[in-house]
Amino acid sequence: MNTTTKTALLILATCWAAQGTAAEWHYEGPHGVEHWGEQFVTCAEGVNQSPVDITETLSAELAPLHIDYQGQVSELVNNGHTIQANVSGQNTLTIEGETFTLKQFHFHTPSENTIQHKHYPLEAHFVHANPQGNLAVIAAMFESGPRGNPALKTLLTRLPKNGDRITLSDALSPVSLLPREREYYRFNGSLTTPPCTEGVRWYVMKEPQASTPAQTSALQEIMGSNARPVQPLNARVVLQ
């Protein structure tokens, strides 16, 4: 393993550790969003931070997202910041000749990314990594609807309390939480949680899924409001 790969994997491990440690940061209070930069410099000084408000875009010939999720959700974890779904089996994203493996997906209420200044009630982030440790995140929005999402209903049957995890017995493919239409917005960004590491490829799906108010409320009641405010776009361009 070369030095570049070791460094990338170390960054990846640090990101997972920071997401899973509830005591180091929060969304409110003395360790809330406005204080993240005191412990995690990139959160304050990074110039390619996420989330963003998608308003002006540049039309481009974007490569299709080849999503091949053959596995299933294996467990739900409440890490004190979000409800995270861990997966098993082979679940890959291939884009522009590179293949990324799905590591986990998790939820934010309300949405972190916004489109034309609009927050959606719920956003899911599907976090992928390639062998070099580079990250790619697919973001799926959920808007309020009377029927909701059947897969989301199954997922929310029982939610773990803070620090707990639940093994799932029902076979549930993570692809069932993604929209069928795969058009997306593309930009370079960061993790939306400390250490706010940059170099993350973002793919925000255009077509929203549906969640009932009860489904969204169930998540928000156990997670709280866990959306980082939108960050300056600076010199970046959002492609579509």
Side-chain angles (χ1 to χ4, degrees):
M1 183 182 296
N2 60 38
T3 302
T4 301
T5 301
K6 287 181 178 178
T7 302
L9 293 177
L10 179 60
I11 291 173
L12 181 61
T14 302
C15 295
W16 299 150
Q19 276 207 328
T21 306
E24 293 185 354
W25 57 270
H26 303 281
Y27 286 94
E28 298 177 344
H31 297 288
V33 173
E34 64 273 20
H35 299 289
W36 288 359
E38 297 167 11
Q39 297 185 70
F40 308 96
V41 176
T42 306
C43 296
E45 299 183 1
V47 295
N48 295 322
Q49 289 290 289
S50 296
V52 301
D53 181 23
I54 299 172
T55 53
E56 297 183 6
T57 61
L58 182 66
S59 296
E61 291 292 332
L62 296 177
L65 298 175
H66 294 289
I67 298 170
D68 185 17
Y69 293 170
Q70 298 181 27
Q72 64 184 48
V73 180
S74 56
E75 66 175 0
L76 292 181
V77 178
N78 186 331
N79 63 19
H81 305 303
T82 186
I83 295 297
Q84 175 177 305
N86 293 330
V87 296
S88 60
Q90 183 173 330
N91 306 286
T92 61
L93 161 68
T94 301
I95 178 75
E96 297 177 337
E98 292 190 66
T99 297
F100 297 79
T101 299
L102 178 65
K103 298 300 181 181
Q104 48 97 344
F105 64 90
H106 59 270
F107 298 95
H108 294 273
T109 55
S111 71
E112 294 197 301
N113 293 293
T114 58
I115 300 175
Q116 299 298 332
H117 314 304
K118 174 185 176 180
H119 277 284
Y120 286 83
L122 176 65
E123 181 177 359
H125 291 166
F126 294 76
V127 183
H128 308 73
N130 68 8
Q132 292 73 43
N134 299 312
L135 302 182
V137 177
I138 294 177
M141 302 296 187
F142 289 79
E143 62 185 358
S144 186
R147 299 184 63 180
N149 182 294
L152 190 59
K153 180 180 180 180
T154 299
L155 199 67
L156 301 182
T157 300
R158 191 161 59 101
L159 290 173
K161 296 180 180 179
N162 191 354
D164 291 342
R165 62 183 63 225
I166 293 174
T167 300
L168 297 186
S169 55
D170 294 327
L172 178 65
S173 170
V175 78
S176 58
L177 290 160
L178 289 175
R180 292 183 179 181
E181 295 295 328
R182 298 293 164 80
E183 291 187 350
Y184 61 88
Y185 301 102
R186 165 78 168 90
F187 62 90
N188 293 324
S190 71
L191 296 176
T192 65
T193 58
C196 305
T197 306
E198 296 186 339
V200 179
R201 307 179 199 189
W202 279 86
Y203 305 94
V204 178
M205 309 301 286
K206 289 185 177 182
E207 181 187 18
Q209 296 275 67
S211 63
T212 65
Q215 289 173 340
T216 303
S217 295
L219 280 166
Q220 189 160 32
E221 284 175 9
I222 202 160
M223 298 188 307
S225 295
N226 61 346
R228 185 190 191 191
V230 295
Q231 303 297 301
L233 197 59
N234 295 323
R236 288 176 288 174
V237 174
V238 178
L239 303 178
Q240 69 164 331

